[in-house]
Amino acid sequence: MSMDGRKHTLLLGALMAPAAAFFLAFWLLPMARLVGVGASGPQGMGAYWSVLTNQNYLTSLIYTFVLSALVTLATLVISCIAGLFLERNRFPGRSLLLAVLTFPLAFPGVVVGFLIILLCGRQGLIGDLTKWLTGEKLVLAYSLSGLFLGYLYFSIPRVILTVMAAAEKLDYALVEAARTLGASPLQIVRDVTLPALGPALVSSGAICFATSVGAFGTAFTLATNITVLPMLIYNEFTNYANIPVAAALSVVLGVVTWAVLALARSVAGNTVTVAA
Amino acid sequence: MSMDGRKHTLLLGALMAPAAAFFLAFWLLPMARLVGVGASGPQGMGAYWSVLTNQNYLTSLIYTFVLSALVTLATLVISCIAGLFLERNRFPGRSLLLAVLTFPLAFPGVVVGFLIILLCGRQGLIGDLTKWLTGEKLVLAYSLSGLFLGYLYFSIPRVILTVMAAAEKLDYALVEAARTLGASPLQIVRDVTLPALGPALVSSGAICFATSVGAFGTAFTLATNITVLPMLIYNEFTNYANIPVAAALSVVLGVVTWAVLALARSVAGNTVTVAA
Amino acid sequence: MSTSTAISILQCGKTYPNGTRALETVDLEVVSGETLVLLGPSGCGKTSLLRMIAGLESPDAGGRILFGSEDVTAQPPETRNVGMVFQSYALFPNMTVAQNVGYGLRIRRLPEERRRARVAEMLEMVQLSALSARRIDQLSGGQRQRVALARAIAVTPRVLLLDEPLTALDAKLRESLRVDIDTLLRKAGITAIYVTHDQAEAMALGDRIVVMDHGEIVQIGSPTQIYHAPANAFVADFVGSVNRLQGNVQDGVWRCGNAALPWPADAPVGGVVMVRPEDLRLGHEAAGAISGTLTARYFLGNRTRLLVDIGQGAPVLVDTSERGEFALASQVHLRIDPATMIVLPA
Amino acid sequence: MSTSTAISILQCGKTYPNGTRALETVDLEVVSGETLVLLGPSGCGKTSLLRMIAGLESPDAGGRILFGSEDVTAQPPETRNVGMVFQSYALFPNMTVAQNVGYGLRIRRLPEERRRARVAEMLEMVQLSALSARRIDQLSGGQRQRVALARAIAVTPRVLLLDEPLTALDAKLRESLRVDIDTLLRKAGITAIYVTHDQAEAMALGDRIVVMDHGEIVQIGSPTQIYHAPANAFVADFVGSVNRLQGNVQDGVWRCGNAALPWPADAPVGGVVMVRPEDLRLGHEAAGAISGTLTARYFLGNRTRLLVDIGQGAPVLVDTSERGEFALASQVHLRIDPATMIVLPA
């Protein structure tokens, strides 16, 4: 940028500075207060400590993060295969298939939870099918499996689209070069395709993780027997009015998610949070 | 792609076909069933009709969509100014400011609701401030304003980052060309900058709208006096077991959101749903 | 060093699924160890032909490709053992220079130590030993080009295929790399097929040049044959500039202005006379010359290009190495050495 | 048509905030109506100088820029009324061809009707009338270049600034557009400053050439002066190829091999002798010539480049338009016309 251009925008910035400062204050204040509230209970900083020592809280933390990590892994594997296949092949009905695959993007978490109940709840499709097949009704919706399926349902479309966009940018000459050098299809996937998709996979994986950790509507609708972290926060806050613990849990959740996003950004570049 | 390459991936596709069909069935079945359930109540297709005629349902629909549209508009304006300023200028503390601005990305809706209560709830910062200034306590958290602020809180960071990424790709020679042709800074914004950011704004606006329409955790935590659509769906489903209406509302929500995303995609190209 | 292979292309054509005919049915023999250049404008089929030899495309039914006496038509590129240099270089961005050069050897499971030695040898050959640990995005265009070349040669391919390898570089660099590639190919004694649309590159590098147009082979010959005895007007135009001169043939003499030259015995009746700009000499008198008016001049350093209006529509281009004033609108007299006259069927 | 303006650059230098010195303090006068070419390698400061004239960069304190007698140093680009053509064209992708060309006129609030007429006139000038409603991404590189030119000229600028406008195009197109631009500039009679790193472009287009290196002006002169009488070795090398010949001066005679040439009276003591490849003539006898061995030959169409080893390290480059066999390893005798000898201070 030229000096004149810079001078110009800095001037604009100076004019905006009061507005910006005001805005920033209201942006930061609640977050600062959140951290403070976490340390304001009868136990003081103890709320943070209890979050990591109390059996209930710790279980919820671990369940939430492990579940989200597993969802992320499964989403990446499925989306990578499907996305590469869809990008590489043109066949009749492809656009329709794409539209259908990405339809869940239009549903909020509550509706996704609803869909999971319709699929594998007490009156669900899988229940009917398994009863007819084995005499036993298989009900997954209210367990960890139901949550897992629900999270997959809204994670897969995003990641498929990200993989397709990245695969579209892959220079096909790289694949041809590897072929003339003797590489087999699997070697090409290992040495050319996956490295090229790397940043997109890291960034969409991080976002998938963040979204899963924060998913509330799905878990709440399913009313699962596992209390995931956002539900726990909601309960502590609304039902038990245990505000310091709710704040401490929020801070822990925020810090972990932020760390994952920041890590991914440092690996994959700036696109990460853009797509978040 | 070469013929050999195509042959190869088609073969891979054929091997995967049964798995893909199975997968697709479980992808589609719940959505199909959702549409069916909406027409399965005592009124038959009437559930869909009632959604559009019943005063309560209609109010919620309109509130949700209008609120989301306003949030989208405000987000675009604020993010566009802030994003352009941040992209154009390098100053000490810039990275820190960026990190702070994007911190809300790490919080789920429940925590954002919590933050809004801390900011402008009954014991909130704004309440204290206004009481000290005017003697009247201003409490916004449980009204439409509270929701509006909450939605802004999680929409702005995403859009700022998208605007910055788009602005980074803007060919600065275009701005210089306009300057040598005599264009003033405002004319350059109108004729060069905004057109160049257009696709990014359209796509992030659509995503902002979709996210706002589907936001559940924030609204639920705030327990506002306005029932937004996802809350309405949850209530009909869980509290009143009015499953056909819940399904019909879900379908309406899904169709509108999907239409907005599809429209944006047709205007701005394929990046829309990728960033969703 | 490497065992060079002759290549036979038999009745190969290429039609794309949408019906586009990229290459008419052609035959071509590539002599073992030679550098053959495929020259033509974009869309002439030269790249399709090259990709067919690499195995990246297959010829229409009936076409056959032989490496020596081995029919490789059905073989995929993985097993053909060709080296290919792409226009975009197609270097693996996730590997270092040394890893790129050694990639084909790693795929062939060459023992670590021998691989290392071969990579070092290749990097020395292209004078990049110092950069072996660099990432690809730290290299200049010319360096990338040399890495791509080293990677293709490292596997001792039966034939080296080069697809416009210099197009992405600027003029000065292109000229110096042209010489480097030529030296390298001759030292390695490898059979090489080189695709380009740049006639200067084709002439500097090719033992033989295959001129292509609209999917067909128009002429095959040495650089001097192509330049001095083009098969038709397309070739004459494509390899350098050329003037078309209108004249009359009578009693075995061709007349144009005051110039009178013997009409070659084997020239076609009604043939078109063409002369290259550097073959027109400036004379001092009108007798025996074609006279005209100087309308423009461009000093190009090693020569000056004159535009002379001789009343035949398009101005005649004249390249002269003389140093002079060349005043605009002055009278100019042009002489033609009969040996430089090109006569082509109308 | 347009009113052309003289430009004075007085004591202008450019130091970036990080301390890089892009341009040493220079003075330069541009004559009204001339085409001045700034020629040099990348990083020589030519683009900084151009951007300073446009107002896109400001000179260090003390520098002044005059358009005619008006001091524009403090004016932003918006008010300088210059036309600029960018290397990337910088056409507005959200506007049609006609909207691009008319943009400067719209900004100046020219009435619709006059704007339309001026745009039509400009498009006719660059022969793009048929494409006025096209989107920019539907144009070829050459067409974009012409739209950029039309857009810059449409506002009747006081000076036209061209920043490597042909670099993004391929060789054949570059040559033809070079002629078009030359014709256009002469017809318009506009003052033009043209930045390039391509010496052929500079010589074909420039009334005068300013050769720059490391932020300094090395030589200013006509194309023939620059080529035939370079100010130093950098200029000699940069504008075309050149051979350095080692010889001895005794009694006013310079000797190299069997060649003996009169040492110019004004030549510096211990001066270096340089001869361009096209100025070395092939002779048949060793007497009075520099003899050597032919080590390589490249047929380039209009000439053949020979590499001759005369025992002085680097081979001597010889360009000849003779048609011959030029057998490798044969003896070659080179003659020099004294008038073509370039003698530069060591």
Side-chain angles (χ1 to χ4, degrees):
Chain A
M1 175 180 305
S2 79
M3 254 181 58
D4 287 318
R6 176 168 299 153
K7 223 183 287 170
H8 179 74
T9 36
L10 272 181
L11 182 73
L12 205 76
L15 290 173
M16 278 171 38
F22 187 78
F23 172 78
L24 205 62
F26 283 99
W27 194 258
L28 283 178
L29 279 174
M31 287 192 279
R33 179 130 185 213
L34 185 70
V35 175
V37 165
S40 69
Q43 311 151 282
M45 288 296 284
Y48 287 102
W49 183 242
S50 75
V51 160
L52 299 173
T53 48
N54 177 305
Q55 189 59 43
N56 276 343
Y57 301 154
L58 193 61
T59 309
S60 171
L61 271 177
I62 291 173
Y63 263 118
T64 305
F65 291 133
V66 169
L67 174 64
S68 299
L70 289 177
V71 166
T72 304
L73 201 70
T75 301
L76 286 180
V77 171
I78 295 172
S79 308
C80 204
I81 295 171
L84 278 177
F85 180 79
L86 286 169
E87 173 55 29
R88 290 279 172 81
N89 295 284
R90 297 287 177 276
F91 48 85
R94 179 175 172 277
S95 320
L96 188 71
L97 181 60
L98 254 178
V100 161
L101 275 178
T102 56
F103 207 88
L105 283 178
F107 291 127
V110 172
V111 176
V112 170
F114 198 173
L115 290 173
I116 293 299
I117 291 175
L118 292 177
L119 180 69
C120 49
R122 278 180 211 96
Q123 266 83 49
L125 291 160
I126 290 187
D128 295 350
L129 189 72
T130 48
K131 183 154 195 197
W132 181 76
L133 281 175
T134 66
E136 285 279 334
K137 203 179 232 184
L138 184 65
V139 176
L140 296 172
Y142 318 102
S143 66
L144 210 55
S145 320
L147 262 187
F148 182 80
L149 286 179
Y151 288 5
L152 277 190
Y153 212 76
F154 62 66
S155 299
I156 287 177
R158 283 157 224 240
V159 183
I160 283 186
L161 288 170
T162 311
V163 167
M164 285 179 66
E168 201 184 337
K169 280 186 210 128
L170 173 68
D171 180 6
Y172 198 69
L174 289 177
V175 173
E176 295 189 333
R179 295 190 77 195
T180 60
L181 289 166
S184 69
L186 273 180
Q187 286 169 325
I188 290 174
V189 166
R190 182 192 66 190
D191 299 328
V192 178
T193 317
L194 283 182
L197 296 184
L201 292 179
V202 168
S203 76
S204 56
I207 292 156
C208 179
F209 180 80
T211 315
S212 301
V213 165
F216 176 64
T218 312
F220 213 72
T221 309
L222 291 176
T224 50
N225 43 25
I226 303 104
T227 311
V228 291
L229 205 39
M231 275 173 77
L232 184 65
I233 294 173
Y234 176 79
N235 285 335
E236 292 293 328
F237 181 69
T238 311
N239 299 342
Y240 312 126
N242 192 352
I243 301 198
V245 167
L249 286 168
S250 298
V251 169
V252 170
L253 190 162
V255 167
V256 171
T257 310
W258 185 85
V260 168
L261 288 174
L263 187 71
R265 199 183 335 193
S266 78
V267 172
N270 220 4
T271 50
V272 175
T273 28
V274 174
Chain B
M1 174 180 303
S2 79
M3 256 180 56
D4 287 318
R6 177 168 298 153
K7 224 183 285 168
H8 179 74
T9 36
L10 272 183
L11 181 74
L12 204 76
L15 289 173
M16 276 171 40
F22 186 77
F23 171 78
L24 204 61
F26 282 100
W27 195 258
L28 283 177
L29 279 173
M31 287 193 279
R33 181 133 183 209
L34 183 70
V35 175
V37 165
S40 70
Q43 310 150 280
M45 290 293 284
Y48 287 103
W49 182 243
S50 74
V51 160
L52 299 173
T53 48
N54 178 304
Q55 189 60 42
N56 276 344
Y57 300 155
L58 192 61
T59 309
S60 170
L61 272 177
I62 291 173
Y63 263 119
T64 306
F65 291 134
V66 169
L67 174 66
S68 300
L70 289 176
V71 167
T72 304
L73 202 69
T75 302
L76 286 180
V77 171
I78 296 173
S79 309
C80 207
I81 295 171
L84 278 177
F85 179 79
L86 287 170
E87 173 55 30
R88 290 281 173 79
N89 296 285
R90 297 286 177 277
F91 49 85
R94 180 175 171 275
S95 318
L96 186 71
L97 181 60
L98 254 177
V100 162
L101 276 178
T102 56
F103 207 86
L105 283 177
F107 290 127
V110 171
V111 176
V112 170
F114 198 175
L115 289 175
I116 292 300
I117 290 174
L118 292 178
L119 180 68
C120 50
R122 278 179 212 98
Q123 268 82 50
L125 292 161
I126 291 188
D128 295 348
L129 189 71
T130 47
K131 185 154 191 198
W132 182 73
L133 282 175
T134 66
E136 284 280 332
K137 204 178 231 182
L138 184 66
V139 176
L140 297 171
Y142 319 103
S143 67
L144 210 54
S145 320
L147 262 188
F148 182 80
L149 287 178
Y151 288 4
L152 276 190
Y153 212 77
F154 60 68
S155 298
I156 287 178
R158 280 155 226 242
V159 183
I160 283 186
L161 288 169
T162 313
V163 167
M164 285 180 65
E168 203 185 337
K169 280 186 210 128
L170 173 67
D171 180 6
Y172 198 70
L174 290 177
V175 173
E176 295 189 333
R179 295 190 79 196
T180 60
L181 289 166
S184 69
L186 275 180
Q187 285 169 328
I188 290 174
V189 167
R190 182 193 66 192
D191 298 328
V192 178
T193 317
L194 283 183
L197 296 183
L201 293 179
V202 167
S203 77
S204 55
I207 292 156
C208 177
F209 180 81
T211 314
S212 301
V213 165
F216 175 65
T218 311
F220 213 73
T221 308
L222 292 177
T224 50
N225 43 24
I226 304 104
T227 311
V228 291
L229 206 39
M231 274 174 79
L232 185 65
I233 294 172
Y234 176 80
N235 285 336
E236 292 293 329
F237 182 69
T238 310
N239 299 344
Y240 312 126
N242 191 354
I243 302 199
V245 166
L249 286 167
S250 300
V251 169
V252 170
L253 190 163
V255 167
V256 171
T257 310
W258 186 84
V260 169
L261 289 173
L263 188 70
R265 201 188 327 199
S266 78
V267 172
N270 219 3
T271 51
V272 175
T273 28
V274 173
Chain C
M1 186 172 97
S2 63
T3 53
S4 60
T5 308
I7 292 174
S8 310
I9 289 140
L10 306 170
Q11 294 290 304
C12 285
K14 179 74 192 176
T15 314
Y16 285 109
N18 65 7
T20 314
R21 193 107 177 102
L23 187 69
E24 302 295 328
T25 307
V26 300
D27 287 287
L28 183 64
E29 294 287 332
V30 186
V31 178
S32 164
E34 81 170 329
T35 301
L36 186 81
V37 174
L38 305 180
L39 173 70
S42 62
C44 73
K46 57 191 193 298
T47 298
S48 289
L49 186 52
L50 191 81
R51 290 171 59 83
M52 239 176 240
I53 298 168
L56 295 168
E57 282 177 26
S58 16
D60 293 343
R64 293 200 309 146
I65 294 169
L66 307 185
F67 282 12
S69 58
E70 182 190 349
D71 188 332
V72 299
T73 317
Q75 282 184 25
E78 292 91 302
T79 59
R80 286 198 188 187
N81 194 21
V82 300
M84 184 141 173
V85 177
F86 293 80
Q87 184 174 348
S88 62
Y89 316 130
L91 297 173
F92 305 124
N94 48 314
M95 302 183 196
T96 63
V97 167
Q99 286 168 339
N100 263 282
V101 174
Y103 185 74
L105 306 172
R106 208 179 95 204
I107 293 293
R108 282 164 178 71
R109 298 184 191 287
L110 204 71
E112 171 92 27
E113 202 162 321
R114 283 178 56 203
R115 200 165 82 207
R116 227 183 262 266
R118 178 71 175 160
V119 169
E121 181 192 346
M122 287 297 109
L123 286 176
E124 198 173 334
M125 177 187 77
V126 296
Q127 294 161 26
L128 286 176
S129 304
L131 306 184
S132 74
R134 284 277 178 90
R135 293 163 46 86
I136 298 306
D137 57 14
Q138 298 172 315
L139 302 183
S140 71
Q143 289 167 341
R144 286 176 205 212
Q145 210 285 322
R146 277 142 68 198
V147 175
L149 204 59
R151 183 180 67 177
I153 297 180
V155 296
T156 328
R158 292 193 283 184
V159 55
L160 185 64
L161 307 172
L162 303 107
D163 186 9
E164 308 237 12
L166 300 179
T167 303
L169 304 170
D170 77 20
K172 282 234 160 182
L173 193 56
R174 211 153 55 218
E175 234 170 278
S176 83
L177 273 174
R178 200 157 82 188
V179 175
D180 291 349
I181 291 182
D182 185 58
T183 313
L184 208 93
L185 294 181
R186 278 175 216 296
K187 215 187 287 173
I190 199 170
T191 310
I193 304 178
Y194 190 108
V195 160
T196 183
H197 68 271
D198 179 331
Q199 50 97 7
E201 228 167 273
M203 291 203 278
L205 280 169
D207 291 313
R208 289 192 302 153
I209 297 175
V210 178
V211 186
M212 299 183 66
D213 186 33
H214 289 106
E216 290 187 275
I217 292 177
V218 184
Q219 185 173 8
I220 303 181
S222 70
T224 43
Q225 282 168 348
I226 300 278
Y227 191 81
H228 293 312
N232 62 21
F234 168 78
V235 177
D237 266 333
F238 196 78
V239 295
S241 307
V242 75
N243 296 297
R244 275 172 181 68
L245 297 176
Q246 290 153 31
N248 295 308
V249 183
Q250 213 164 22
D251 304 329
V253 175
W254 177 79
R255 287 173 202 280
C256 171
N258 294 330
L261 288 99
W263 188 248
D266 56 350
V269 176
V272 178
V273 173
M274 297 187 172
V275 183
R276 300 212 175 266
E278 69 273 16
D279 291 333
L280 287 162
R281 307 259 170 231
L282 295 175
H284 292 289
E285 45 190 50
I290 304 170
S291 300
T293 314
L294 185 65
T295 58
R297 54 163 198 270
Y298 295 99
F299 178 67
L300 300 172
N302 56 8
R303 65 209 148 98
T304 303
R305 169 155 292 187
L306 309 175
L307 271 58
V308 179
D309 180 8
I310 61 164
Q312 292 196 353
V316 172
L317 308 178
V318 181
D319 282 355
T320 176
S321 54
E322 282 178 39
R323 301 184 185 181
E325 266 308 299
F326 307 120
L328 289 184
S330 64
Q331 276 291 102
V332 171
H333 311 293
L334 305 172
R335 302 184 166 276
I336 306 170
D337 176 351
T340 65
M341 204 166 87
I342 301 167
V343 187
L344 292 174
Chain D
M1 186 172 96
S2 63
T3 53
S4 60
T5 308
I7 292 174
S8 310
I9 291 141
L10 305 171
Q11 293 291 305
C12 285
K14 180 74 193 175
T15 314
Y16 284 109
N18 65 9
T20 315
R21 194 107 177 100
L23 187 68
E24 301 296 326
T25 307
V26 300
D27 287 288
L28 184 63
E29 294 287 333
V30 187
V31 178
S32 164
E34 81 170 330
T35 301
L36 185 83
V37 174
L38 305 180
L39 173 69
S42 62
C44 73
K46 56 191 194 298
T47 298
S48 289
L49 187 50
L50 192 81
R51 289 171 60 84
M52 239 176 241
I53 298 168
L56 294 169
E57 283 177 26
S58 17
D60 294 343
R64 293 202 307 146
I65 294 169
L66 309 185
F67 282 11
S69 58
E70 182 190 350
D71 188 330
V72 299
T73 317
Q75 281 185 24
E78 292 90 302
T79 59
R80 287 198 187 186
N81 195 21
V82 301
M84 184 141 174
V85 177
F86 293 81
Q87 183 173 349
S88 62
Y89 316 130
L91 297 174
F92 305 124
N94 47 315
M95 303 182 197
T96 64
V97 167
Q99 285 169 339
N100 263 282
V101 174
Y103 185 74
L105 306 173
R106 208 179 95 204
I107 292 294
R108 283 164 178 71
R109 300 185 189 288
L110 203 71
E112 171 92 29
E113 203 162 320
R114 283 177 55 202
R115 200 165 82 206
R116 227 182 261 266
R118 178 71 175 161
V119 168
E121 181 193 345
M122 287 298 109
L123 287 176
E124 197 173 332
M125 177 187 78
V126 296
Q127 294 162 26
L128 285 176
S129 304
L131 305 184
S132 74
R134 283 276 179 91
R135 292 164 47 88
I136 298 306
D137 57 14
Q138 296 171 316
L139 302 182
S140 71
Q143 289 167 341
R144 286 176 204 212
Q145 211 284 320
R146 277 143 66 199
V147 175
L149 204 58
R151 183 179 67 178
I153 297 180
V155 296
T156 328
R158 293 193 282 183
V159 56
L160 185 64
L161 306 171
L162 303 106
D163 186 10
E164 309 237 11
L166 300 179
T167 302
L169 304 170
D170 78 20
K172 282 232 161 185
L173 194 56
R174 211 151 55 215
E175 234 170 277
S176 82
L177 273 174
R178 201 156 80 187
V179 175
D180 292 349
I181 290 182
D182 185 58
T183 313
L184 209 92
L185 293 180
R186 278 173 215 298
K187 217 188 287 172
I190 199 171
T191 309
I193 304 177
Y194 189 108
V195 161
T196 183
H197 66 271
D198 180 332
Q199 50 98 5
E201 230 168 270
M203 291 205 275
L205 280 170
D207 291 315
R208 288 193 304 153
I209 296 175
V210 178
V211 185
M212 298 183 67
D213 187 31
H214 289 105
E216 290 186 275
I217 292 177
V218 184
Q219 186 173 10
I220 304 181
S222 71
T224 42
Q225 282 169 346
I226 300 278
Y227 190 80
H228 293 311
N232 63 21
F234 168 78
V235 177
D237 265 334
F238 196 76
V239 296
S241 308
V242 76
N243 297 298
R244 275 173 182 66
L245 296 177
Q246 292 153 30
N248 296 309
V249 184
Q250 214 164 25
D251 304 330
V253 175
W254 178 77
R255 286 172 203 282
C256 173
N258 295 330
L261 288 99
W263 187 247
D266 56 350
V269 176
V272 178
V273 173
M274 296 187 173
V275 183
R276 299 213 175 266
E278 69 273 17
D279 292 332
L280 287 163
R281 307 260 170 230
L282 295 175
H284 293 289
E285 44 191 51
I290 303 169
S291 300
T293 314
L294 186 65
T295 58
R297 55 161 197 270
Y298 296 98
F299 179 67
L300 301 172
N302 56 8
R303 64 210 149 99
T304 302
R305 168 156 293 187
L306 308 177
L307 270 59
V308 180
D309 180 8
I310 62 164
Q312 292 196 353
V316 172
L317 308 178
V318 181
D319 282 355
T320 176
S321 54
E322 283 177 39
R323 300 185 185 180
E325 268 308 299
F326 307 120
L328 289 184
S330 64
Q331 277 291 103
V332 172
H333 311 292
L334 305 172
R335 298 182 170 278
I336 306 170
D337 175 351
T340 66
M341 204 166 90
I342 301 167
V343 187
L344 292 175

